[in-house]
Amino acid sequence: MELLHQKEFTVSPVAVDRYGRLKPSQLLAFLQEVAGEHSALLGTAQHQLTEKNLFWAVIRHRVQISRLPGSGEKIRVETWPMPTTRTAYPRSTIAYDEQGQECFRSISLWVLMDSKTRAMVLPGKSGVEVSGLLRGCELQAPSSMIPREMAQCDSRKVHYTDLDLNGHMNNCRYLDWVADLLPSHFHESHEIREFTLCYMSEVRETEHLQLHWELNDGPVLTVESVRPDENQASMHSRVFSARMSFENVVL
């Protein structure tokens, strides 16, 4: 059983933004794909979990970016499970370009969910064991984000193409929604260097969400997504939080 898994990807034209850089949402898609492939090799594939009425869900992502690859580039992605905690299964990932230079690295926290109750099942009660590895280069897991009032507010509705196999909005789509808060001219002159996503509750088709956000010096974009007409401080109303740090680039 290999705890270190590698996979190569070629960045397709549809995976980049209008400025030729890999979309953050597609970056997360790569992370999901390589994690799912490795989970299958480790004996925890989704079809195996279905027999136990369980499924994998990610609750937090933290990604540090050195450079976003462009269309046609090949990247090599290394991933490995870290030691299981009391509540989650952490996973670390690093991506390299064809010259062996690091493009990005991440840590994600995965949990097991009961497919009937949609409640989280702790590792100690799930019957699912995953061996862990520490290589000394892992990122620190992100902490939760405390909700607060923000000046800007947009609203969006969850549609069919936002959904994944579990019937809820896919975590990759959250990043598209976050990126859409800022106009093209901002993205043209800024590149993402780090982002953190915390997922609090799943969202289904036709639901409306409010995106409370602000862009501060750094620049840093902070987003708090909630269900409307509910108390923003309520854990039930909160859907996801995001923090995205940018760097100015020379045009």
Side-chain angles (χ1 to χ4, degrees):
M1 180 174 62
E2 292 289 339
L3 292 182
L4 181 63
H5 180 63
Q6 298 187 39
K7 183 178 180 66
E8 287 192 354
F9 293 93
T10 299
V11 179
S12 67
V14 297
V16 300
D17 63 16
R18 64 169 296 189
Y19 302 111
R21 299 183 294 241
L22 180 68
K23 295 177 183 178
S25 58
Q26 185 59 51
L27 187 158
L28 283 192
F30 287 162
L31 298 183
Q32 278 190 177
E33 183 174 342
V34 73
E37 185 176 276
H38 195 203
S39 292
L41 294 173
L42 295 176
T44 56
Q46 187 55 61
H47 72 274
Q48 294 169 301
L49 296 178
T50 299
E51 298 174 358
K52 300 180 180 182
N53 294 317
L54 298 172
F55 66 89
W56 286 115
V58 62
I59 58 171
R60 289 181 192 170
H61 271 121
R62 181 187 177 196
V63 179
Q64 287 184 347
I65 299 168
S66 303
R67 182 182 71 84
L68 288 172
S71 178
E73 287 195 59
K74 294 181 179 180
I75 60 173
R76 174 175 56 87
V77 181
E78 292 182 350
T79 188
W80 62 98
M82 297 163 61
T84 303
T85 69
R86 186 183 69 84
T87 58
Y89 300 83
R91 175 170 287 273
S92 190
T93 307
I94 302 180
Y96 302 92
D97 62 20
E98 293 180 88
Q99 288 71 46
Q101 298 298 309
E102 181 180 320
C103 293
F104 55 85
R105 65 175 58 199
S106 77
I107 183 170
S108 53
L109 299 183
W110 294 82
V111 297
L112 287 167
M113 304 288 291
D114 188 298
S115 58
K116 295 181 178 178
T117 66
R118 316 301 278 192
M120 188 174 76
V121 180
L122 295 176
K125 297 182 178 181
S126 68
V128 176
E129 296 184 5
V130 178
S131 299
L133 173 68
L134 289 176
R135 302 173 67 194
C137 56
E138 293 84 2
L139 292 176
Q140 183 175 352
S143 57
S144 60
M145 299 183 193
I146 300 174
R148 55 186 175 83
E149 292 187 6
M150 286 177 268
Q152 307 291 327
C153 182
D154 284 38
S155 62
R156 290 187 70 157
K157 181 180 178 180
V158 179
H159 293 288
Y160 168 73
T161 55
D162 294 317
L163 307 178
D164 62 17
L165 286 172
N166 295 315
H168 57 214
M169 183 168 169
N170 186 271
N171 64 288
C172 299
R173 290 292 293 141
Y174 291 138
L175 266 185
D176 285 330
W177 282 23
V178 170
D180 284 344
L181 292 171
L182 300 174
S184 290
H185 65 80
F186 177 90
H187 289 288
E188 181 182 17
S189 58
H190 296 83
E191 291 186 359
I192 300 169
R193 287 293 172 256
E194 182 169 351
F195 65 83
T196 297
L197 277 168
C198 298
Y199 312 96
M200 273 73 75
S201 60
E202 64 179 351
V203 183
R204 299 304 185 97
E205 189 174 6
T206 73
E207 283 198 71
H208 286 83
L209 300 182
Q210 289 181 344
L211 303 177
H212 298 268
W213 64 279
E214 62 184 15
L215 184 66
N216 293 320
D217 291 342
V220 177
L221 174 65
T222 305
V223 182
E224 179 82 10
S225 175
V226 299
R227 292 178 172 87
D229 303 320
E230 294 186 35
N231 182 358
Q232 187 172 338
S234 166
M235 283 303 296
H236 175 70
S237 69
R238 297 179 72 195
V239 176
F240 73 90
S241 297
R243 184 180 296 112
M244 190 174 287
S245 302
F246 296 86
E247 181 181 57
N248 294 320
V249 295
V250 178
L251 297 178

